């Protein structure tokens, strides 16, 4: 087969990623062999994981996708297991920017943030707070301060968990530090898809 002769298959990885984004965004509506959307998405995610096994930052992206696919099927416990596997190799300092350049966004940080909600749903409140702390300490500093949408996508799940645990003051401080203060530095000329969320 052709695959055997291809030493570098990294060109396949963005294709698999964009297929999944298309499915999640409702752009792809027909699936082979009578599969429903969730089963097809998980199948592509599993293929992505297999393809990227020996290429670290691609593999991290694939694991993030698999976790999101499992969560879409409400298999939150399995999704959390995949996130834990991802975190054994994922380092935001090393990988965040290169994943964002390759795939348009650092889906690994996004999946970590969402996993805090999955943990809370499973009744693992302390683990959920620990995941929030990890996102805040390791991921948020790697997101460019002009990327308001990226920052808000990480903050919303974290703040939801922190508010549920009674950490109102900390939640306000986080939003102020990571969102409102950069907005003030940019003045009135900054732009972001998240602008309506943070306008007074």
């Amino acid at each position: 087969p052709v695959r055997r002769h291809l030493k570098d298959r990294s060109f396949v990885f963005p294709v698999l990623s964009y297929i999944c984004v298309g499915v999640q965004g409702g752009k792809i509506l027909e699936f082979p062999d009578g599969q429903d959307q969730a089963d097809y998405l998980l199948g592509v995610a599993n293929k992505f994981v297999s393809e990227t096994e020996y290429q670290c930052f691609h593999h991290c992206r694939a694991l993030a996708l698999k976790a999101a696919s499992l969560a879409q099927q409400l298999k939150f416990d399995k999704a959390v297991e995949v996130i834990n596997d991802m975190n054994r190799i994922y380092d935001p300092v090393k990988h965040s920017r290169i994943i964002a350049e390759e795939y348009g966004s650092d889906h690994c940080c996004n999946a970590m943030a969402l996993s805090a909600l999955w943990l809370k749903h499973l009744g693992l409140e302390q683990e959920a707070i620990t995941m929030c702390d990890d996102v805040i300490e390791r991921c948020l500093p790697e997101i460019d301060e002009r990327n308001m949408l990226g920052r808000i996508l990480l903050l919303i799940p974290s703040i939801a968990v922190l508010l549920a645990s009674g950490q109102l003051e900390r939640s306000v401080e986080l939003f102020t530090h990571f969102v409102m203060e950069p907005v003030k530095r940019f003045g009135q000329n900054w732009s972001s898809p998240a602008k309506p969320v943070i306008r007074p």
Side-chain angles (χ1 to χ4, degrees), residues 4 19 23 27 125 137 147 151 164 168:
R4 190 171 62 239
I19 287 173
V23 172
K27 304 296 185 183
E125 295 195 8
E137 293 168 11
N147 182 2
R151 287 187 163 202
L168 173 60

Side-chain angles (χ1 to χ4, degrees), residues 19 25 39-40 58 66 68 71 103-104 110 123 136 139 152 173 191:
I19 287 173
D39 288 337
Y40 177 76
H58 289 298
K66 182 175 181 179
Y103 294 102
N110 295 344
I136 292 161
C139 293
I152 287 174
E173 289 175 355
S191 63

Side-chain angles (χ1 to χ4, degrees), residues 41-192:
L41 193 60
L42 185 56
V44 175
N46 282 330
K47 180 175 177 59
F48 196 2
V49 169
S50 176
E51 288 278 359
T52 58
E53 186 174 0
Y54 300 106
Q55 300 193 44
C56 189
F57 81 89
H58 289 298
H59 194 56
C60 290
R61 163 57 181 134
L63 290 169
L65 177 59
K66 182 175 181 179
S69 301
L70 287 165
Q72 186 175 349
Q73 294 185 340
L74 306 182
K75 298 176 181 177
F76 297 118
D77 52 344
K78 292 185 177 180
V80 167
E81 289 176 6
V82 174
I83 290 294
N84 290 337
D85 287 342
M86 183 192 78
N87 276 337
R88 292 187 183 98
I89 57 174
Y90 175 65
D91 180 348
V93 174
K94 293 180 180 178
H95 301 137
S96 181
R97 293 180 190 272
I98 192 170
I99 291 172
E101 288 173 6
E102 187 76 14
Y103 294 102
S105 177
D106 182 1
H107 301 276
C108 299
C109 279
N110 295 344
M112 286 175 62
L114 288 171
S115 73
L117 296 175
W118 308 338
L119 287 162
K120 179 168 176 51
H121 177 78
L122 293 169
L124 303 171
E125 295 195 8
Q126 187 54 54
E127 288 87 342
I129 292 171
T130 299
M131 184 63 73
C132 291
D133 292 339
D134 200 20
V135 169
I136 292 161
E137 293 168 11
R138 293 202 303 147
C139 293
L140 270 167
E142 299 305 314
I143 306 299
D144 188 281
E145 65 178 6
R146 292 174 178 79
N147 182 2
M148 287 300 149
L149 179 60
R151 287 187 163 202
I152 287 174
L153 286 174
L154 299 185
L155 277 171
I156 287 176
S158 300
I159 286 175
V161 171
L162 295 174
L163 285 174
S165 69
Q167 298 188 44
L168 173 60
E169 185 175 347
R170 185 185 181 198
S171 298
V172 172
E173 289 175 355
L174 287 169
F175 195 81
T176 300
H177 176 70
F178 284 106
V179 177
M180 296 308 299
E181 289 177 0
V183 167
K184 290 178 182 177
R185 287 198 293 275
F186 298 152
Q188 297 298 313
N189 297 320
W190 68 282
S191 63
S192 165

